[in-house]
Amino acid sequence: MSETNPAMAATAAEAAPHRYTAAMAAEIEARWQDFWDAEGTYAAPNPSGDLAGDPELVARPKKFIMDMFPYPSGAGLHVGHPLGYIATDVFARFQRMTGHNVLHTLGFDAFGLPAEQYAVQTGTHPRVSTEANMENMKAQLRRLGLGHDKRRSFATIDPEYYKWTQWIFLQIFNSWYDGEARKARPIAELIAQFESGERAVPNTTRAWNTLSPVERADVLGEFRLAYASDAPVNWCPGLGTVLANEEVTADGRSERGNYPVFKAKLRQWNMRITAYADRLLDDLEGLDWPDAIKLQQRNWIGRSEGARVDFPIDGESVTIFTTRPDTLFGATYMVLAPEHPLVDRYTPTAWPEGTHEVWTGGHATPTEAVAAYRAQAASKSDVERQAEAKDKTGVFTGAYAINPVNGEKVPVFIADYVLMGYGTGAIMAVPAHDSRDFAFARAFELPVHCVVEPTDGRGTDTGTWDDAFVSYDATIVNSTGDTVSLDGLGVVDAKARITEWLAREGIGEGTVNFRLRDWLFSRQRYWGEPFPIVYDEDGVAHALPESMLPLELPEVEDYSPRTFDPDDADTRPETPLSRNEEWVDVTLDLGDGPKKYRRETNTMPNWAGSCWYELRYLDPRNEARLVDPGIERYWMGPREGMPHGGVDLYVGGAEHAVLHLLYARFWSKVLFDLGHVSSAEPFHKLFNQGMIQAYVYRDSRGIAVPAAEVEERDGAYYHQGEKVSRLLGKMGKSLKNAVTPDEICAEYGADTLRLYEMAMGPLDVSRPWDTRAVVGQFRLLQRLWRNVVDETTGEVTVVDSEPDEETLRALHKAVDGVRQDLEGLRFNTAIAKITELNNHLTKAGGSLPRPVAEALVLLIAPLAPHVAEELWRRLGHHDSVVHQDLPVADPAYVVDETVTCVVQIKGKVKARLEVSPSISDEELEKTALADEKVAAALDGAVIRKVIVRAPKLVNIVTA
């Protein structure tokens, strides 16, 4: 694109054989990349261990800079992918040049579904395709000149890496959360409490030593931070696997294949992340994260204060959680989630006498009605169930509960808008003051009792209402019982009184609830970390000893899970690992002699490997420990401004705002509690880069056409003569608008690509890609080259002389601005300042003084490292530019020599004075009043007031 006419290009090359061209850029870049690898230029020394290095470098302030883990896709990179990688590289280079020991590396998050799908389709082992993809991606990233410490790189599929993923799982499995101490403790300490009688065994009067192994395992399962339980899951028979919520569409179908998805209960591994809900919320305050990300984390955790209340039913009780206990007198029915375990117990065989016909769903018995409705609810995703559906559905269970505050019978329904995953899976319904309950009550002709006095003039007669009245600042009415009255109280006081009454009566208590659910940690997949768990003949789970780790993923003939009739909700998974019987059924000695065991045949989710990878970067070859404590403390320990420790800068997309970050935070806190690390948070500063977008062109059928083949004519767009539409969106292979970094590197060089991506706009803002605009940054590098090197002879043209004052001012202003911009990740404005300085030097003409040329090269080095290395070497230096000191501005040259001060009289400008930027208010007032023009304009008038804003304004007010 830069030299499209071959004849012109040949002539230009003959006239200027040493011009900076794409061919020269390619040669320079390849040579310096080889040099960096050979010299270990980016090796960051640890304070000890096998990666220990120069004590002087270790003694410097340190910076740990990270990108979010990339997945090695078979499609390779397009120009949108490296945006964050280039940004962290620029920032890391800036930190090295400002006196820091910088750890910057990159590994691969290589377990996951795409490689497994490819294996199912082609028969290629997932490791083979994944490793090939990694090699391709490494080559693409290397071409960009990224300064990674390659000694520290790894992939999550390396057995020596996932050995420690399995080890961390076992630490979590062998731990429980002590609510009083607010920390995780070894499960052995809990067992000791049970054995000694210090802690009573829950739900039984029996002593610990009288319990069977199975009974003990069940008790401990209620405490362990990693536990197996029958959990409600998204089961997709057509795919033969359980799906995460994010893999299910709003229509309740699989994102891949569009198969029906059903709710089912399966034995699954879970992480008790809910135990850390409060700490996950509280510790957000100490993190330097975008407010929007913190808000998303808070909303996902969903802390709410309220009360638990027991509603008697058939001699037992159902516990509900409510944030509005002040409205208890208004509860006219109850709703249980369809999956609630008590539904079967309370559902009678026949409808009670006088059951309202609309409550039955047209079924002859409660059992039939409940079964039919459960089947209907199982076909919906949680997203669908929580949506504000126009028509409310449900069915009466045939049971009645008692409202504990007034003794009234309330019918118990099941309805899909109540989820087992929130609260207790049961609600009291107050239709007068909750919109969903109101809609349900109207649909099922249930009573609506007003207990919060409306402030909108509608009155308390609910028969005339069109919707619920919801207010947190109103007066409670119609709420008096035999032993408690809330009438006349405000909401806050009413909550306090009723909560106190519930506790006194022993039928409830004030409590805090969280929307956060325990983390479902099982996948019915092949390509993932095997669980280091085996089961004995009684089904009790046992942890493998550390000496048996890693438990490596075995070979299987078929990578796909067994699939079923897509509509058969009653089927159950058959995992790929379960077919390898030699691996599954084993005889092991776990310390009490050889016994037969069966291995866990689920695998860990793809989140597992990315929950702790920052720690392995620190000490990647340590075979004895997860990470050396001293090394971890050096790079990630708490320090001033970072109360929880963590990575200094973590850059990645906002799409990981919740799950990855929340899961990684949870693992860090468990490891911190158990004394394995000093950092309670993994990532101190988080920065979300924007997205590089591209125009998508579609023909009349709506099919994307190759963007490179589209022509623009008179403001319209055409592909092969047909008019096409244009819309800005994502860049990708399927949209036929992807531009690869290889293309741009071949056309202009990697330094040009780096500069263009950083110059496109603020790093945190999405921006459209425009290949035609890339040439602007290429020309900047050409002008920079010409300012140092003669294009005809190749000789360096700088001179050993001192620059004039104007050049010094331009230089030091640029140095000052670029340093501030690089520190603040404002790379686009840093490039603008370098461009302005380079243009100034070009216009000035003549040879550059050596101090100016060297400073210019050092300024651009973090952004365009290859050309900077080349010019630095040509300027006579034999050491790499990477570890040079970035220039520091002289304050005397940063400020303007003079500034213009405006003098106003009665608001009108009467004079302009050239004054020193550092002039004081008093001196400026004297100077202004002594000026001839000002004196003439005053013409003897009485001065009432002089307002001075040094150095730019004097305002004189006359009588």
Side-chain angles (χ1 to χ4, degrees), residues 119-142:
V120 171
Q121 293 164 4
T122 66
T124 306
H125 194 288
R127 178 174 288 279
V128 172
S129 59
T130 300
E131 289 181 344
N133 294 343
M134 283 194 292
E135 289 307 310
N136 179 52
M137 191 169 175
K138 285 177 183 177
Q140 287 187 295
L141 292 172
R142 184 180 190 271

Side-chain angles (χ1 to χ4, degrees), residues 75-313:
L77 299 176
H78 60 63
V79 291
H81 291 126
L83 178 66
Y85 306 148
I86 295 171
T88 54
D89 186 63
V90 173
F91 188 70
R93 290 174 181 278
F94 164 71
Q95 294 294 336
R96 288 190 194 94
M97 296 180 74
T98 51
H100 294 84
N101 183 19
V102 178
L103 193 166
H104 188 215
T105 190
L106 195 70
F108 295 92
D109 190 10
F111 275 127
L113 186 58
E116 187 173 285
Q117 288 176 277
Y118 187 73
V120 171
Q121 293 164 4
T122 66
T124 306
H125 194 288
R127 178 174 288 279
V128 172
S129 59
T130 300
E131 289 181 344
N133 294 343
M134 283 194 292
E135 289 307 310
N136 179 52
M137 191 169 175
K138 285 177 183 177
Q140 287 187 295
L141 292 172
R142 184 180 190 271
R143 194 170 183 181
L144 297 174
L146 303 177
H148 294 146
D149 184 345
K150 295 180 181 178
R151 305 170 305 164
R152 298 175 183 266
S153 185
F154 52 76
T156 55
I157 60 174
D158 300 338
E160 55 269 27
Y161 178 82
Y162 69 73
K163 164 188 175 178
W164 295 104
T165 306
Q166 293 170 335
W167 181 87
I168 295 173
F169 173 84
L170 292 179
Q171 306 311 301
I172 300 172
F173 173 72
N174 285 319
S175 300
W176 64 290
Y177 193 79
D178 185 339
E180 293 182 5
R182 294 194 79 212
K183 61 179 291 186
R185 295 172 61 186
I187 201 75
E189 295 180 10
L190 180 65
I191 294 172
Q193 291 181 7
F194 288 144
E195 289 176 336
S196 68
E198 177 187 346
R199 181 185 291 266
V201 180
N203 304 319
T204 183
T205 57
R206 295 166 59 193
W208 179 258
N209 60 9
T210 68
L211 300 182
S212 70
V214 173
E215 289 171 324
R216 291 182 184 183
D218 287 342
V219 171
L220 294 178
E222 296 299 315
F223 289 86
R224 291 186 188 273
L225 288 177
Y227 64 95
S229 70
D230 292 327
V233 295
N234 301 309
W235 166 235
C236 181
L239 291 176
T241 188
V242 165
L243 300 177
N245 286 337
E246 58 269 21
E247 297 170 310
V248 182
T249 69
D251 297 325
R253 303 179 76 85
S254 63
E255 191 174 51
R256 180 170 64 90
N258 196 37
Y259 293 110
V261 176
F262 303 94
K263 281 293 180 186
K265 272 201 168 182
L266 296 173
R267 193 75 172 170
Q268 302 285 297
W269 281 98
N270 298 271
M271 295 277 180
R272 207 178 301 276
I273 191 174
T274 49
Y276 282 81
D278 264 326
R279 283 173 61 185
L280 289 167
L281 269 178
D282 294 344
D283 289 355
L284 282 171
E285 295 302 319
L287 302 181
D288 185 4
W289 286 17
D291 289 340
I293 303 298
K294 287 185 177 182
L295 179 62
Q296 288 182 65
Q297 292 246 325
R298 290 189 182 102
N299 290 342
W300 191 268
I301 296 168
R303 187 182 193 275
S304 54
E305 295 185 10
R308 290 185 183 271
V309 186
D310 295 333
F311 277 65
I313 178 172

Side-chain angles (χ1 to χ4, degrees), residues 94 97-98 815 818-819 822 858-862 884-888:
F94 164 71
M97 296 180 74
T98 51
V815 168
V818 169
R819 286 183 70 107
L822 293 180
L858 292 172
L859 275 187
I860 205 167
Q884 300 303 309
D885 291 335
L886 199 68
V888 177

Side-chain angles (χ1 to χ4, degrees), residues 374-680:
R374 277 179 155 174
Q376 175 186 327
S379 67
K380 293 183 179 181
S381 68
D382 286 355
V383 174
E384 280 185 290
R385 288 172 59 172
Q386 290 178 295
E388 289 294 334
K390 183 178 179 182
D391 298 320
K392 293 297 178 188
T393 64
V395 70
F396 179 42
T397 62
Y400 284 89
I402 303 298
N403 187 329
V405 293
N406 56 20
E408 291 184 1
K409 289 175 61 177
V410 293
V412 180
F413 285 76
I414 59 171
D416 60 11
Y417 75 91
V418 176
L419 305 176
M420 275 307 297
Y422 180 70
T424 64
I427 68 162
M428 67 171 196
V430 184
H433 308 294
D434 181 278
S435 293
R436 289 185 310 170
D437 294 347
F438 184 91
F440 191 93
R442 286 289 192 250
F444 288 87
E445 302 177 15
L446 290 156
V448 179
H449 293 166
C450 174
V451 293
V452 181
E453 188 170 22
T455 55
D456 56 6
R458 70 172 76 180
T460 58
D461 179 6
T462 60
T464 63
W465 290 12
D466 295 324
D467 196 5
F469 172 73
V470 182
S471 174
Y472 297 90
D473 184 21
T475 302
I476 304 300
V477 296
N478 301 325
S479 298
T480 296
D482 293 339
T483 58
V484 65
S485 176
L486 307 181
D487 287 346
L489 297 178
V491 170
V492 174
D493 291 338
K495 282 184 178 182
R497 179 176 294 183
I498 195 65
T499 302
E500 180 184 334
W501 180 84
L502 289 167
R504 189 167 64 247
E505 295 291 318
I507 55 175
E509 62 178 348
T511 188
V512 174
N513 196 57
F514 295 91
R515 188 174 300 277
L516 180 68
R517 297 297 90 199
D518 280 347
W519 172 14
L520 179 65
F521 200 70
S522 291
R523 294 294 183 272
Q524 291 67 48
R525 299 288 187 189
Y526 169 70
W527 194 231
E529 298 92 341
F531 282 93
I533 293 289
V534 292
Y535 300 92
D536 63 24
E537 292 178 342
D538 293 323
V540 175
H542 296 264
L544 291 181
E546 186 177 332
S547 61
M548 292 186 182
L549 302 182
L551 174 60
E552 294 197 33
L553 197 61
E555 297 300 321
V556 295
E557 293 182 3
D558 183 4
Y559 306 113
S560 58
R562 180 184 174 190
T563 58
F564 303 89
D565 180 337
D567 295 307
D568 189 351
D570 295 326
T571 50
R572 290 296 178 265
E574 180 186 289
T575 65
L577 288 181
S578 66
R579 301 186 196 118
N580 188 330
E581 294 183 7
E582 290 184 6
W583 182 82
V584 174
D585 297 311
V586 290
T587 299
L588 301 173
D589 185 349
L590 300 184
D592 52 356
K595 293 183 180 179
K596 292 182 178 180
Y597 295 94
R598 180 176 176 81
R599 297 194 191 277
E600 171 64 71
T601 58
N602 285 321
T603 53
M604 298 186 197
N606 63 308
W607 305 105
S610 61
C611 274
W612 71 280
Y613 68 121
E614 72 284 352
L615 295 171
R616 199 60 180 172
Y617 280 154
L618 308 180
D619 198 10
R621 299 199 288 252
N622 194 330
E623 296 180 1
R625 309 186 73 152
L626 175 80
V627 59
D628 180 273
I631 293 172
E632 186 273 336
R633 201 161 42 246
Y634 172 81
W635 288 110
M636 290 185 63
R639 48 211 178 273
E640 186 176 355
M642 299 174 65
H644 307 299
V647 173
D648 293 277
L649 177 65
Y650 191 41
V651 174
E655 66 271 15
H656 296 295
V658 176
L659 297 182
H660 159 59
L661 293 172
L662 205 60
Y663 296 157
R665 295 180 64 212
F666 166 57
W667 278 35
S668 283
K669 291 186 183 303
V670 176
L671 291 172
F672 172 78
D673 288 352
L674 298 177
H676 298 300
V677 297
S678 66
S679 49

